Amino acid sequence: FSNLFQMLPIKFLHLCIRRSCVSNHLVSNCKFYCQKSSSKVRICQVLSSQEFGKNVQIQGWVRSVRSQKEILFLHVNDGSTLQSLQVVANAELYKRCLTFGSAVKISGTLEKSPHKKQLVELQADSIQVIGDCNPVDYPFKIKERHSLEYIRQFPHLRCRTKTFGSLLRIRSEASTAIQSFFKDNGFVQIHTPVITSNDCEGAGELFQIEPAGREQGPSEDEPHFFSVPAFLTVSGQLHLEVMTGAFPCVYTFGPTFRAENSQSRRHLAEFYMVEAEIAFTHSLEDITTVMEDLFKTATECILSRCSEDVELYHKYVAPGHMDRLNHMLKNKFKVISYTEAVDVLKHSQQNFAFRPEWGCDLQTEHEKYLVQHCGNIPLFVINYPYNLKPFYARNNEDKPQHTAAAVDLLVPGIGELCGGSLREERLELLKSRLEKTGLKDTYQWYLELRQFGSVPHGGFGMGFERYLQCILGVDNIKDVIPFPRFSHSCVL
C-alpha cells in the first residue's frame, strides 16, 4: 500500500498517525477487503461446476444428516434440481437443530468428490441453521417413499417432497415450452378476463360472484356490481374470437373455473387452460395440425430439459410410461369421424356402463377404448352431432346425419385432452341458432363480430393439468396442480 499512502494528503496522514485507533481501523479494513468473499449460488449450478477451490455459499433444506466422530455429512437441496449437494464438514460444526427438513445457509469451498456418483462436494467452513424442523412432528420421514395419496393430505408442505418438487419444475418448464411454441409460430398472447358475463360452454357450471358482505342477492336498491350477473370464466374462447378480427393467430393461457360438484380424480373447480384461435381457415385439419404440433413440440422440450424429473415419475409413479409416451411422439395422430367411432364402440365386445348410441356424447370409458382400439396413439374424433355442440360450432349442413365441424383429441389413459371446432361465421345461421336457444339478446355483440370484417376461423382448448397427466402417467388430476380446488376441499 506504499503507493496508496504516497497519494494521500499530508494532513490526513498526520491525523492518522496522531489517532492510532483510526490507523488500526484502516489496517483491519484492508485485511477484510483483501479476503476472498463467498459467491451465493444455486445447487444446480454447483453440481455442474468444476471450479474446484472456489468459495461459495448455498442456501437450502437438509435432506439427510450423518454425523460421525470426526466428520459430518449433509445432503442439501434448494429446489433448483432433483439432485442434492453433499456437504462435508468438521464434526464440531454439528448442532442439535441440524435435522432433516431444517433450512440452512452454508459457506465453504468446492472440492472434487472422491465418489464416482458425484462430481463435486462442498467442504463447509460454516453452517448456520436458519429454520428449525422437528423431525418427529414433520409428516415426511427421511427414509420413507411417500405415495401421492399420502402427500396430498399436506398441500401446504408437499412441495418439499422430491416427487412434488419434480412435478413443479416440470410444470414450470411445460408452461414455458407452450408459450415458446406459440411465440415461434406467430401467435399473439391475449390476456382474457377472469370475470365475465359469458357462459361459453353453455353447461351452466358457473361460479357467480358478488361483493362480500351482502346478506342477500342483488335487488333494486343493490343491483349487480357489474350491472349484470358476473361469473368466473369457464373459457377465454369468445374473447379470443373477438381478437381474430384483428390478428390471424391468438392464444391465451390462464385459470378457468367449473362449478362441478365432483370429487373425482378427473375434475377440478379451478384449473388452467391453453386456448388458441386461428383466423382465415375453413379446415379442421388446420386446427388438428396445431394441436398435434403443440403436443409433440412441448413434450419433446420437457423431456430434454427435465429429464431427471420426468424419469422419477416414469420410474416410481408410472413404470413403463416412457415407452408409451415415445410411442405417441413417434406416430402421427389418427383421425376418425364421430360416426365411425360409434360404430367401433357398438361392435366391440366390451361391456360399457353407458351404451354407445349415435347422438349421445362419448363418455370417458368410450374415449379410452377408442384410443386402445387405434393402437394407443392419440386420436382425433371429428364431426360430432350438431345438437351436442355449443351455438358457435360451425354447421356442416350434411344429411342425413346433421353434424358440426368439431373435434376432440383423445389420448391414452386420459380420454379427452383437447376440444375445438370451426366457428360459425355465417351470420344468418348463427342468428337462427341463437334465436332457437333464446340467447340472441345476450350474444348480440357476438353477432356483430360477423357483421364487420368477419373471417372464417376456428380454435381449440387444452387442459393443462390433463396434459401433465398424459405425459407423466399420473392418475389423479389433483397431483399435478400446486393447490387443487375441488368441491368440499379446504382452500388455503
Side-chain angles (χ1 to χ4, degrees):
F1 295 95
S2 58
N3 292 336
L4 174 63
F5 281 103
Q6 287 176 11
M7 296 169 62
L8 294 174
I10 296 296
K11 289 184 179 180
F12 179 74
L13 291 175
H14 287 171
L15 181 63
C16 291
I17 293 170
R18 286 197 302 269
R19 299 184 180 181
S20 59
C21 61
V22 174
S23 178
N24 291 336
H25 180 68
L26 283 171
V27 173
S28 64
N29 274 342
C30 286
K31 289 181 179 179
F32 174 78
Y33 286 111
C34 287
Q35 291 178 355
K36 194 173 182 180
S37 59
S38 299
S39 302
K40 183 179 175 181
V41 293
R42 294 184 301 163
I43 286 177
C44 65
Q45 297 171 310
V46 172
L47 292 173
S48 61
S49 173
Q50 295 189 33
E51 297 182 82
F52 304 123
K54 182 179 181 180
N55 293 322
V56 300
Q57 181 187 99
I58 64 165
Q59 296 172 334
W61 292 266
V62 176
R63 285 280 173 83
S64 71
V65 183
R66 184 159 55 93
S67 179
Q68 298 180 352
K69 187 175 181 180
E70 297 181 353
I71 198 166
L72 172 67
F73 293 98
L74 302 176
H75 281 93
V76 180
N77 187 279
D78 65 355
S80 62
T81 177
L82 177 63
Q83 301 299 320
S84 297
L85 174 66
Q86 178 167 282
V87 177
V88 183
N90 191 298
E92 295 176 354
L93 294 178
Y94 176 72
K95 305 170 185 177
R96 293 191 65 182
C97 57
L98 192 62
T99 62
F100 170 60
S102 60
V104 294
K105 179 167 70 175
I106 302 176
S107 297
T109 306
L110 294 182
E111 301 289 350
K112 187 173 182 179
S113 175
H115 301 286
K116 294 180 180 179
K117 292 184 179 181
Q118 54 192 17
L119 178 66
V120 65
E121 63 186 22
L122 182 63
Q123 296 284 340
D125 298 323
S126 68
I127 300 176
Q128 181 181 355
V129 177
I130 305 297
D132 297 349
C133 179
N134 185 337
V136 177
D137 298 333
Y138 194 42
F140 308 124
K141 305 308 176 185
I142 190 169
K143 293 184 179 181
E144 293 184 25
R145 182 174 297 280
H146 303 287
S147 67
L148 294 177
E149 290 76 12
Y150 177 79
I151 67 174
R152 200 184 304 138
Q153 302 174 72
F154 309 98
H156 57 303
L157 296 173
R158 65 175 179 169
C159 60
R160 306 186 189 193
T161 64
K162 275 189 174 183
T163 306
F164 208 72
S166 287
L167 180 277
L168 293 175
R169 283 187 294 273
I170 293 168
R171 187 183 171 96
S172 176
E173 196 60 58
S175 175
T176 301
I178 288 169
Q179 301 269 11
S180 296
F181 170 84
F182 283 119
K183 182 179 179 181
D184 293 344
N185 286 276
F187 284 74
V188 175
Q189 184 180 19
I190 304 296
H191 294 127
T192 55
V194 171
I195 299 174
T196 177
S197 61
N198 298 319
D199 179 8
C200 179
E201 298 296 320
E205 297 163 343
L206 300 164
F207 288 105
Q208 186 167 352
I209 60 171
E210 291 292 344
R214 278 188 173 173
E215 295 182 0
Q216 298 179 346
S219 61
E220 291 184 4
D221 297 329
E222 287 188 289
H224 292 288
F225 184 82
F226 294 104
S227 300
V228 295
F231 313 95
L232 295 178
T233 183
V234 296
S235 171
Q237 178 208 312
L238 298 184
H239 294 94
L240 288 183
E241 285 197 61
V242 171
M243 297 300 166
T244 57
F247 301 95
C249 301
V250 291
Y251 80 100
T252 189
F253 188 0
T256 52
F257 306 85
R258 301 282 169 87
E260 293 179 301
N261 189 18
S262 174
Q263 299 184 53
S264 78
R265 61 188 60 195
R266 287 176 51 82
H267 296 95
L268 290 169
E270 177 186 359
F271 55 97
Y272 278 71
M273 282 279 283
V274 181
E275 298 179 272
E277 204 73 21
I278 304 165
F280 300 100
T281 179
H282 282 284
S283 171
L284 268 182
E285 188 176 355
D286 290 344
I287 310 300
T288 60
T289 297
V290 176
M291 287 186 191
E292 183 170 351
D293 289 348
L294 170 62
F295 181 93
K296 290 183 175 180
T297 303
T299 303
E300 287 167 355
C301 183
I302 295 165
L303 293 178
S304 66
R305 295 181 183 176
C306 298
S307 56
E308 288 185 327
D309 292 314
V310 173
E311 184 182 0
L312 181 145
Y313 270 83
H314 291 171
K315 184 176 181 180
Y316 295 107
V317 177
H321 191 70
M322 188 69 226
D323 292 336
R324 295 189 286 273
L325 186 58
N326 283 330
H327 183 62
M328 289 187 254
L329 296 175
K330 290 177 181 178
N331 289 278
K332 184 169 179 57
F333 294 179
K334 295 187 176 182
V335 183
I336 64 171
S337 70
Y338 168 88
T339 301
E340 291 171 325
V342 171
D343 189 56
V344 168
L345 294 169
K346 283 186 171 182
H347 286 85
S348 72
Q349 300 300 313
Q350 187 163 325
N351 293 321
F352 296 110
F354 295 89
R355 185 178 177 182
E357 291 289 348
W358 203 99
C360 297
D361 213 347
L362 298 179
Q363 302 296 319
T364 301
E365 59 177 345
H366 302 150
E367 295 169 344
K368 290 182 178 181
Y369 177 84
L370 289 169
V371 176
Q372 291 176 352
H373 177 79
C374 293
N376 283 315
I377 296 171
L379 173 68
F380 291 113
V381 179
I382 63 173
N383 297 331
Y384 279 76
Y386 186 69
N387 291 332
L388 284 181
K389 293 302 174 182
F391 66 87
Y392 51 74
R394 195 176 197 274
N395 188 344
N396 282 333
E397 295 187 293
D398 50 347
K399 294 180 180 180
Q401 294 173 328
H402 192 187
T403 65
V407 57
D408 285 345
L409 174 59
L410 313 182
V411 295
I414 302 297
E416 181 188 345
L417 175 64
C418 301
S421 73
L422 295 179
R423 316 310 187 191
E424 184 59 80
E425 85 283 1
R426 295 163 292 185
L427 179 60
E428 292 306 316
L429 287 176
L430 182 60
K431 186 185 295 186
S432 173
R433 191 166 197 197
L434 285 173
E435 286 176 346
K436 289 179 181 178
T437 55
L439 296 172
K440 184 181 175 182
D441 292 339
T442 303
Y443 288 98
Q444 182 60 39
W445 65 268
Y446 191 76
L447 291 172
E448 289 181 7
L449 295 178
R450 272 61 177 169
Q451 294 176 305
F452 308 113
S454 179
V455 299
H457 61 284
F460 70 93
M462 179 180 79
F464 185 52
E465 281 73 30
R466 286 192 182 181
Y467 169 70
L468 294 173
Q469 284 185 275
C470 176
I471 66 172
L472 297 177
V474 175
D475 187 50
N476 195 316
I477 198 169
K478 298 173 185 63
D479 295 325
V480 291
I481 190 169
F483 301 103
R485 309 281 193 237
F486 52 97
S487 58
H488 311 299
S489 69
C490 177
V491 178
L492 294 180

